[in-house]
Amino acid sequence: MLLPAVDVVDGQAVQLVQGVAGTEKRFGDPEAAAQRWVDQGAQWLHLVDLDAAFGRGSNAAVLSKVIASCGVEVELSGGIRDDASLERALGTGCRRVVIGTAALEQPDWAAKVIAEHGDRIAIGLDVKGDKLAARGWTREGGDLLETLQRLDAAGCERFVVTDVASDGMLSGPNFELLGRVCAHTDAAVIASGGVSTLQDIETLTGLVSIGVEGAIIGTALYVGNLALPEALALTRSAAADQQADGGTQ
């Protein structure tokens, strides 16, 4: 599963470098960006309201319009920190939401909404070294493995794991981090950060057996380092090979 990212600041599609506000490269209308990836075969999109994540505003109306028009499954993230914001997000028609900071700062609330909404809730783990980052990556959010264990025990079915150092850098995913997370949970893991080549995607498909379900791709698509149709074809081929191997065992 590949999820092209549409990150939104002030109504515009952008990509940040290592999640730092002010580093964004702008790529125009979010609806047009989303439609571009859908036209190229995307079956999922990863939408992020960066203004909400940084606590400085909201692009809810823009994102709702994107979700209504794109016609594919959507994972929605950014600023979901209480019942009201969660209900608004779920009400957009997205397939699932990603909760980040609130899962770190409000563990009881996170456990409650996981219990209530099941696989419509994913937890975002944004990682710097062995520590988590919160509040738009501006504050430390606790120990990675302790938090993972707590959320796993609460029944979380999916984690979106972002290596902050790799995000927007076109430097390749942190495969060691992904392996470490998968070793501590049976939940599905979506990789985020650094995906930049077909080789990266091929390597990620090799991690499906340990729990890596998919990958979010942003900057590499926008700057043309990676062609989405080729990347999707590679994942389909890998999935077919794995299914064939499974059928012969």
Side-chain angles (χ1 to χ4, degrees):
M1 177 196 302
L2 296 180
L3 301 90
V6 181
D7 298 355
V8 182
V9 168
D10 194 25
Q12 295 289 299
V14 305
Q15 287 291 292
L16 303 186
V17 176
Q18 294 182 322
V20 178
T23 64
E24 58 262 23
K25 297 177 181 178
R26 292 179 176 258
F27 294 97
D29 175 42
E31 193 171 357
Q35 192 59 50
R36 176 184 176 187
W37 308 135
V38 172
D39 289 345
Q40 292 183 22
Q43 296 180 321
W44 276 88
L45 294 173
H46 179 78
L47 302 189
V48 185
D49 188 338
L50 285 172
D51 289 318
F54 284 113
R56 64 189 183 195
S58 172
N59 294 282
V62 173
L63 294 178
S64 293
K65 188 177 178 184
V66 172
I67 293 168
S69 66
C70 70
V72 298
E73 303 279 25
V74 171
E75 180 177 88
L76 180 61
S77 178
I80 302 168
R81 298 191 176 112
D82 55 27
D83 286 332
S85 55
L86 174 60
E87 291 306 318
R88 281 196 300 271
L90 292 173
T92 61
C94 67
R95 174 63 185 86
R96 62 174 173 256
V97 301
V98 182
I99 297 173
T101 294
L104 311 180
E105 297 182 347
Q106 304 175 62
D108 291 342
W109 179 76
K112 176 179 79 79
V113 299
I114 288 169
E116 289 175 353
H117 298 286
D119 72 352
R120 294 198 71 190
I121 304 293
I123 299 296
L125 300 175
D126 301 333
V127 186
K128 289 183 177 181
D130 289 323
K131 299 295 182 182
L132 294 166
R135 296 282 171 181
W137 299 354
T138 61
R139 300 182 190 175
E140 186 177 304
D143 181 79
L144 167 62
L145 295 183
E146 288 178 4
T147 303
L148 180 63
Q149 183 178 31
R150 169 173 59 79
L151 291 163
D152 196 58
C156 179
E157 296 186 33
R158 184 171 287 100
F159 294 99
V160 178
V161 178
T162 302
D163 177 39
V164 174
S166 300
D167 192 68
M169 297 297 288
L170 300 174
S171 57
N174 187 334
F175 298 112
E176 186 275 333
L177 169 64
L178 295 170
R180 190 151 40 106
V181 170
C182 288
H184 287 82
T185 180
D186 290 329
V189 171
I190 294 177
S192 176
V195 177
S196 58
T197 66
L198 288 175
Q199 180 60 56
D200 291 338
I201 293 172
E202 187 171 1
T203 303
L204 286 168
T205 63
L207 302 182
V208 169
S209 61
I210 66 169
V212 175
E213 177 185 68
I216 295 166
I217 311 177
T219 301
L221 291 178
Y222 285 91
V223 302
N225 281 27
L226 197 61
L228 183 60
E230 292 179 16
L232 290 167
L234 179 59
T235 62
R236 287 194 294 268
S237 175
D241 289 345
Q242 289 163 0
Q243 188 174 22
D245 290 344
T248 58
Q249 292 176 0

